[in-house]
Amino acid sequence: MTNPILVEVLRSTLVESRHRGAVAVADADGGAVLAIGDVTTPIFPRSAVKALQALPLVETGAAAAFGFGDEELALACASHSGEPGHVAGVTGMLAKAGLDAAALRCGAHWPIAQPALVELARTGQPSALHNNCSGKHAGFLCVACAKGIDHADYWRPQHPVQREVRAVLENLTGAALSDDRCAIDGCSVPTWAIPLQNLAYGFAKFATGRGLAPERARAAARLRAACTQRPWHVAGTGRFCTEIMQLFGARVFVKTGAEGVYCGALPEQGFGIAVKCDDGAGRAAQAIMAALIARFLPLGDAERVALAHFMHPTLRNWKGFEVGSLRVVDGNLQPPV
Amino acid sequence: MTNPILVEVLRSTLVESRHRGAVAVADADGGAVLAIGDVTTPIFPRSAVKALQALPLVETGAAAAFGFGDEELALACASHSGEPGHVAGVTGMLAKAGLDAAALRCGAHWPIAQPALVELARTGQPSALHNNCSGKHAGFLCVACAKGIDHADYWRPQHPVQREVRAVLENLTGAALSDDRCAIDGCSVPTWAIPLQNLAYGFAKFATGRGLAPERARAAARLRAACTQRPWHVAGTGRFCTEIMQLFGARVFVKTGAEGVYCGALPEQGFGIAVKCDDGAGRAAQAIMAALIARFLPLGDAERVALAHFMHPTLRNWKGFEVGSLRVVDGNLQPPV
């Protein structure tokens, strides 16, 4: 099936580019609240499921054993910008487990946010700590250390930590994860393809704890609280995930993934959300997620204005002139009148 | 009409993302050599027409008056990476016209290539000289100076320089440019929407000089020679435009534009090429352009291998592991067997 156009990019008044995609919103019983486009073909959720991948860190007692607070748990769920506070936080997580950056197997890259890149370039070089996934990797390492398992190969699909992550993803999403739909993520851990409708179902359970064993439900609530109370640690200065969770607090959890993926949880509504843009465009996935929040949450005036800014951002050029805009175009993504 | 999928992005063996687009290849009589998707709706060509926008610089005698060589003419056609050699070259162009960076109205941005950004961050701040369009803007300023016109508003649609650029674009492409299809480009000059089939026709005339007044045909040949002899000045280290023109020399001219546009000229075949990806993806437009070169040019073994690398690049993660690939999938884009 051909997914519909969900976002248009305008230059002046003409459509310059367009983004197709699919959206699933589900409740914790697996009921479909909204389905746009193909929600049954497995897609790679990439970093959008980091909060689910972090459940073993809490459930196993590793986070408690190392005395992790909200900031450290938020970093375990993060695609962070590599700002100094993120790097210090991940360094601290590793130190509590008796480790340092040498244990990380995520690879090094320059910070994903340009201001952080410029700041680092002035004083140094990126290390694995600056990798946007370093908090997630620190979390995996801490699980291995707390269990007394050799941590050297913590990133490989057959390592006990990744096998546990796989079992958690299957339990949450209800999807059978298949070796022939497993690929390697940017940070080298496995990423399993999962249908959007199952991802939405998994995030509805993450949002509510419904259908989860008591310990898992508590771990989900703990991670949601950490991320929504420390949203800067989940992304970084000026980033969508951070700004949305700063705005809505515990009412909204959102997490971006590479190649145009977004997942989210609306605890008050009991809904989970999963978005994938066909072409991998993050700018479109973000606008769609803003539109979904506007559609499903009762909003105050300030919240409505802030969301409109993300749904229909003005595009400016290098001189600051207004040159165009983005707009969400699918009728199913419009807020109630 | 729905444009076809032209490029797939694979992670492991599964398609993770897909890019739709349209392609026009034409000869200098306006004959369609190849048309894929919608080639009649106007699209913004953005920086892909910089070489056409630079024709007045040569035709008016401004380039000769200021003693411009290949490097300066290539910079006038460039979306450069803001490397030190680019900045020095544009500074030199302005100096020959008695100007400096203060005359540029393109705005400042950090270099578009990360290594150049890192290098600059270690020592300074970006200026308008680092803007990827600074060479084009220097060219516009030089036209105004050579003609003795006030250059302050050289970037505005009603300025004589931009009116001349507009007339050149209409002459080359055969498209009537309309004020209601004019927008502001990233560097603040006008960008007029033009159908892909007309852009391809325009580049076929640029490739051959056919159908152009003698002075314009000579100017086109001069700019092609400059770009294909100094391809580093048209883009920068490791960039597609640079590497393709280094590989093929005078046999291929290619130029990228923002939002998934590519234009090209194959002088020996007499063909012009125009590509637009629906979603604005540069990675896909580049792979399509490589496929078009492979389809229309007789290739040696080394050239075939080099093009395959651009058509079907291997994707690696931060640790250097192979995680996937891009592939061009439309049968019309495959080389002859």
Side-chain angles (χ1 to χ4, degrees), chain B residues 304-327:
Chain B
R304 190 171 291 110
V305 169
L307 276 179
H309 164 78
F310 290 115
M311 289 171 64
H312 306 296
T314 297
L315 304 178
R316 295 184 182 279
N317 75 359
W318 300 116
K319 289 291 275 184
F321 298 147
E322 185 173 332
V323 293
S325 59
L326 249 70
R327 65 180 179 203

Side-chain angles (χ1 to χ4, degrees), chain A residues 1-3 9 11-20 42-44 46 104-112 114 117-122 124-125 131-132 155 180-189 191 193 258-261 276-281 283 317-319 321-323, chain B residues 1-3 9 11-20 42-44 46 104-112 114 117-119 121-122 124-126 131-132 155 180-189 191 193 258-261 276-281 283 317-319 321-323:
Chain A
M1 88 187 278
T2 300
N3 286 328
V9 182
R11 182 158 295 264
S12 180
T13 58
L14 297 187
V15 176
E16 179 167 32
S17 298
R18 38 186 68 76
H19 299 285
R20 295 174 182 272
I43 65 111
F44 291 114
R46 310 291 302 273
L104 293 171
R105 290 286 175 276
C106 46
H109 65 70
W110 286 95
I112 54 180
Q114 196 181 75
L117 191 172
V118 168
E119 185 179 335
L120 178 60
R122 291 195 168 124
Q125 284 283 345
N131 186 306
N132 74 89
W155 56 278
D180 63 1
R181 292 200 295 270
C182 180
I184 305 171
D185 212 329
C187 65
S188 298
V189 301
T191 180
E259 291 291 331
V261 181
K276 163 75 183 174
C277 287
D278 291 7
D279 52 57
R283 64 180 177 186
N317 75 2
W318 300 115
K319 290 291 273 185
F321 298 148
E322 185 173 331
V323 294
Chain B
M1 89 187 275
T2 301
N3 286 328
V9 181
R11 183 158 295 264
S12 179
T13 57
L14 296 187
V15 176
E16 179 167 33
S17 299
R18 38 186 68 74
H19 299 285
R20 294 174 181 272
I43 63 111
F44 291 115
R46 311 290 302 274
L104 293 171
R105 290 288 174 273
C106 47
H109 66 70
W110 286 96
I112 53 179
Q114 195 181 75
L117 192 172
V118 168
E119 185 179 335
R122 292 195 168 123
Q125 285 284 345
N131 186 306
N132 74 88
W155 56 279
D180 64 1
R181 292 200 295 268
C182 180
I184 305 171
D185 212 328
C187 66
S188 298
V189 302
T191 180
E259 290 292 331
V261 181
K276 163 76 182 171
C277 287
D278 290 7
D279 53 60
R283 65 181 177 184
N317 75 359
W318 300 116
K319 289 291 275 184
F321 298 147
E322 185 173 332
V323 293

